[in-house]
Amino acid sequence: MRKIFQTEWHGIALAPLMKTGAAADALPSIDFYAAYYRAFFSRHATPESLSPEWRELKRSMADELSRHWIPSRNSRVLSIGCGAGVVEQDLWQRGFLGLEVTEVCEEALAWLRNTLPLHQIHVGEFPACLPRDDRYDLIFFCTIDYLFDRPAFIHFLQNVRSY
């Protein structure tokens, strides 16, 4: 099998953000994500500056969640690894007011901090960043599967199920 690596994302070169000596196929560190999102938000002030195709993909994800889940006033929804939060902003505007998010670094939350109440934003790795007794009606995540090999993904899903 031939490995293919992402070299840039939204016009930002990834290699300069990697720590010196890190293996090309090493998982990104929290420092990497912080550096990436600093560069991302200095380049993209609003979601409208991103490609229309990418925004449409995110909108279709929110559409799909909305089609299959109609939140009640008390529904609690968790997004794991929300990134820039484009899907989450869309869901919030559609009435997902019980939406909470997790992200590994503060820097990724620039757009969401202006949308969600601070108590609904959790910074750190899932599930460590959540209060132990939290439970949700719906948990979703997207584009984080690259972080896991099969055993780690199974363990992750078991953690998700417990919440």
Side-chain angles (χ1 to χ4, degrees):
M1 182 185 322
R2 187 172 149 212
K3 290 184 179 183
I4 299 173
F5 298 97
Q6 183 94 26
T7 59
E8 67 87 27
W9 188 243
H10 295 294
I12 299 161
L14 301 178
L17 304 176
M18 298 296 287
K19 285 192 173 191
T20 306
D25 60 350
L27 290 175
S29 67
I30 292 172
D31 291 338
F32 168 84
Y33 284 115
Y36 173 79
Y37 281 108
R38 280 192 297 272
F40 176 89
F41 289 115
S42 71
R43 181 178 209 139
H44 302 287
T46 67
E48 289 70 32
S49 68
L50 300 165
S51 78
E53 298 82 12
W54 188 84
R55 289 192 330 261
E56 180 54 35
L57 174 66
K58 296 301 181 178
R59 197 172 5 267
S60 70
M61 294 165 77
D63 288 345
E64 194 64 25
L65 283 166
S66 293
R67 250 192 305 283
H68 296 288
W69 179 261
I70 299 171
S72 71
R73 179 174 291 254
N74 298 320
S75 293
R76 294 190 70 208
V77 178
L78 179 66
S79 170
I80 299 174
C82 62
V86 174
V87 172
E88 292 76 9
Q89 284 182 319
D90 192 326
L91 291 172
W92 180 263
Q93 292 168 352
R94 294 177 192 220
F96 283 65
L97 302 182
L99 176 67
E100 296 182 31
V101 300
T102 70
E103 183 52 62
V104 296
C105 67
E106 284 283 344
E107 290 80 358
L109 302 167
W111 291 336
L112 278 178
R113 270 192 233 104
N114 299 324
T115 303
L116 295 178
L118 291 179
H119 71 275
Q120 291 175 230
I121 296 173
H122 309 284
V123 178
E125 291 185 16
F126 173 85
C129 65
L130 297 174
R132 281 252 186 259
D133 60 344
D134 275 7
R135 296 294 177 263
Y136 298 90
D137 300 300
L138 173 72
I139 297 176
F140 71 94
F141 50 91
C142 50
T143 63
I144 65 169
D145 54 310
Y146 68 92
L147 295 170
F148 303 105
D149 60 17
R150 184 178 172 86
F153 194 53
I154 290 168
H155 180 70
F156 171 77
L157 291 174
Q158 288 169 335
N159 277 329
V160 168
R161 186 178 180 105
S162 70
Y163 280 85

